[in-house]
Amino acid sequence: MKLPRFCLNPRTLEFPPGRLWEIGFKGLTSNAYILWKTYGGKAVEMGVHSLLGFKGVILTDSGDSGAYQILRYGEVEVDPLEIARYQCEIGSDVAVILDVPTGWDASRRKAEKTVEETVRRGKETLRHVRELYGGKQPLWVGPVQGGCHLDLVASAAKRMAELPFDVYALGSPTGVMESYRFDLLVEMIVAAKSGLPCEKPFHLFGAGHPAMFSLAVALGCDLFDSAAYAIYAKDGRYITEHGTIRIERLRFLSCPCPACRKTSLEDLKELPEKEKTFFLMEHNLYACFSEVEKVKQSLAEGRLWEHLEVRARGHPALLQALKILAKHWKYLEKHTPRWKSRGLLIFDELSLGRPEVQRVRETLVEASKCEKKILLLLPEPEVKPYTQDERYGKVARLLAELKLSEDVEVCFYNPVFGLTPASVCEVYPFSQFEAAKPYSEGMLRSMAEYLAEYVKTSGFEKAVLHPDPSLLGQEDAGKIGAVLTGWEADPWSGKALGNLRKTMASLKAERLTGL
Ligand SMILES: [Zn+2]
């Protein structure tokens, strides 16, 4: 389930909820505190769906109302149990407890206090509404506090997980996103989600820019909401997939959304301010919705990581976040399928951080204890699977002639997986990838380090390296801890294969002498 919601200010209703539904949003987030202050008992009488004129899912957020206001304006005049009852009585579908937001840059002491108080309120609120309403209540959201203190976030998550919330959320992430600290956001979400049950949805408040949706989804956020479309619009900003453009700097309306198609840039600039803002809100919503659909399509195709890599290159702060996410590949790996219907697209060393690649690299090292005596490292040939390449055929015949086939484990080295054993080269994903060549320096370095580690830990009696100068420098090749067969520009030339035959023959002679 990936369901975006968009925040609506119920006091002004500046964007008609019915239009949200037409654009494609089947859920919206509104503000319990402002509903209460503005409509009081009228919302209870009418029900929040009739009041707002929206038939989809309505999430009422004490976080974005009560708690958000605590962050901005200090204490608000509302009791946590009273606002919880109000959310039940107006018929919210999903409701947020009135938590105490840590704020992302708060001191440890303050963070500890906010965690304690939020957990206490969580317990008290859930017990209270269960006693009063039994099964007739909304789904409850439990925000995980702790701010930038990641150990606190992790322990707060475990404590909140003990309470029967239906949905969990990261507490007070808005400041982190407003400050472009997406790297910290990654750490906070990983810390929170590590302590939460993976079968419960996770909500990210305030995620409103399409450039970061794929990051949020890759992190395991199932729901997100934001008022960014309106905030940007009021500031005269037009959302794109990569950033925002001020309306006066727009030279083209490049977006294909219905709002952009029904007007021209000239007419748009002539519009009165209020209509201009409405146009921007409508376009911004379409831009968000379109990106959500693209992310969902990439998920369906097994290409979310590729989509994320493209988006991350739209802003250095997002690229930084992706680098941090790659360090947490084990967190992602748990739920990454072992087989996909699409191959991996490898752009550069950042692509090596994806869980499918790291999983293979780690598994090969762990499973490297081999029955065979000699490890032969060949460069990757062109054709995939590598064993179908005629160049490998020549090596296989050479080993058969020397009666070494039984003793030699052939592995191909390549800068994506480090190496590919010939015996499994048809297994996903060893042959199911496309990589940009020439490989980047970072990828080549990473492969050389990996090969040295593999040779050291694999326990073969001998390792033989048939070098390819386009993949390995002489210095790096020397550090791998293997016998080199020679140094030829083309590793598949007659001369280079002659060198390989000589090396293998002399190893065989050595072994026979040894016997
Ligand atoms: Zn548009």
Side-chain angles (χ1 to χ4, degrees), residues 308-350:
L308 175 54
E309 276 199 59
V310 171
R311 288 288 177 263
R313 281 173 164 82
H315 196 284
L318 284 170
L319 192 61
Q320 199 166 312
L322 182 54
K323 288 180 182 177
I324 299 294
L325 181 63
K327 287 189 185 162
H328 291 289
W329 69 268
K330 285 225 164 197
Y331 163 80
L332 301 175
E333 196 263 340
K334 274 186 278 181
H335 303 290
T336 300
R338 296 206 162 256
W339 182 88
K340 290 181 175 180
S341 59
R342 304 293 296 270
L344 313 178
L345 301 181
I346 306 293
F347 302 103
D348 59 19
E349 60 265 37
L350 196 57

Side-chain angles (χ1 to χ4, degrees), residues 238 255-257 259-260 279 283 286:
Y238 179 93
C255 163
C257 86
C260 292
F279 162 82
H283 157 80
Y286 273 117

Side-chain angles (χ1 to χ4, degrees), residues 62-64 67-68 70-71 96-104 106 110-119 121 141-160 168-174 188 191-192 196 202 205:
S62 301
D64 228 18
Y68 188 63
I70 292 173
L71 271 179
V96 189
I97 63 159
L98 183 64
D99 57 335
V100 187
T102 305
W104 69 281
K110 186 185 165 205
E112 282 167 350
K113 277 170 83 173
T114 57
V115 167
E116 281 307 318
E117 183 57 14
T118 298
V119 172
R121 288 185 182 187
V141 181
V144 175
Q145 297 299 342
C148 64
H149 306 279
L150 301 177
D151 58 325
L152 278 185
V153 174
S155 63
K158 284 196 186 114
R159 292 175 65 192
M160 293 297 275
Y168 291 92
L170 185 68
S172 51
T174 315
M188 287 165 73
L196 295 171
F202 189 78
F205 290 115

